[in-house]
Amino acid sequence: MQPTRKINTPREKRTKTPEQALTSLMRLCARAEKSEGDARRLMRGWGLAERDAEAVLARLVRERFIDDTRYAEAFVREKLRLSGWGEYKIRTALQRKGIRREVIDAALAQADRSAMGQRLAEQLARKARTVKHTTAYELKTKLIRYGLSLGYDYEAVMDAAAQLVKDTDTCDDF
């Protein structure tokens, strides 16, 4: 006898009342920082009317469950220390979440620039050990591409890659 198969049906959209949304978001915000954009996206997914969603969001902000400044500061710290992202990648991610430019600038201003440079050098050194290359030029090119993909400044990436790859007479044209 063959087992019966379930037919894949589209998931029903979960809808919540404003009170349920408020309770759910309070619980989520108590566990981890959320931005206003995150909350709006969740409430849209729950089928909340725009007016109700804004009322819920206003209460969450008023009661300090959601604070974009606090969120941006935590996001910058996490991405710098744990993920090793550079300033450009962090700025772009925060802009996509709907964080205001002034808040992003203030959060990034608190970042330790020397630690960012040290973190970039460490990441490039780790990458240099694992990347396949035949020439110093190829290694430097791959390191530069990797450093830029992490969101670091071009000049900082060039300096860090040059420090790692000393024998780059053919690479001076970058």
Side-chain angles (χ1 to χ4, degrees):
M1 189 170 183
Q2 243 179 327
T4 58
R5 288 186 169 178
K6 285 186 177 181
I7 298 173
N8 289 339
T9 57
R11 267 181 130 177
E12 287 185 34
K13 196 172 188 180
R14 279 172 124 181
T15 58
K16 291 190 180 203
T17 65
E19 294 78 25
Q20 291 171 326
L22 178 64
T23 303
S24 295
L25 284 168
M26 283 179 166
R27 195 174 356 146
L28 283 171
C29 292
R31 282 187 270 151
E33 291 290 342
K34 299 290 179 197
S35 69
E36 290 181 22
D38 292 338
R40 280 190 182 97
R41 186 178 36 76
L42 284 168
M43 288 187 284
R44 221 179 357 263
W46 293 333
L48 235 62
E50 191 69 30
R51 200 172 117 211
D52 292 336
E54 289 304 317
V56 169
L57 185 60
R59 180 159 175 208
L60 289 168
V61 170
R62 187 174 55 249
E63 295 181 13
R64 303 218 5 105
F65 278 95
I66 293 180
D67 182 348
D68 277 353
T69 302
R70 191 176 63 218
Y71 176 82
E73 291 168 357
F75 188 89
V76 167
R77 277 192 310 275
E78 176 191 333
K79 295 305 177 186
L80 285 174
R81 289 186 188 137
L82 301 178
S83 301
W85 287 9
E87 183 177 339
Y88 293 123
K89 193 168 185 174
I90 293 170
R91 180 179 298 280
T92 303
L94 286 171
Q95 285 173 341
R96 268 191 260 123
K97 288 183 170 283
I99 306 294
R100 291 185 326 277
R101 168 164 276 164
E102 311 83 58
V103 173
I104 296 170
D105 290 343
L108 285 169
Q110 294 178 5
D112 182 7
R113 300 290 176 196
S114 63
M116 285 175 69
Q118 180 63 32
R119 177 70 181 195
L120 171 62
E122 291 169 4
Q123 288 182 293
L124 291 182
R126 190 177 317 120
K127 182 71 171 178
R129 288 191 298 271
T130 61
V131 72
K132 293 180 181 177
H133 63 282
T134 54
T135 64
Y137 177 81
E138 185 181 8
L139 173 62
K140 187 172 181 181
T141 303
K142 288 182 178 185
L143 291 177
I144 291 168
R145 194 174 306 129
Y146 178 67
L148 292 174
S149 75
L150 291 173
Y152 285 94
D153 177 63
Y154 180 76
E155 294 299 322
V157 172
M158 287 297 294
D159 293 343
Q163 288 296 319
L164 282 170
V165 185
K166 300 281 188 210
D167 183 28
T168 57
D169 294 336
T170 58
C171 301
D172 292 335
D173 295 335
F174 279 107

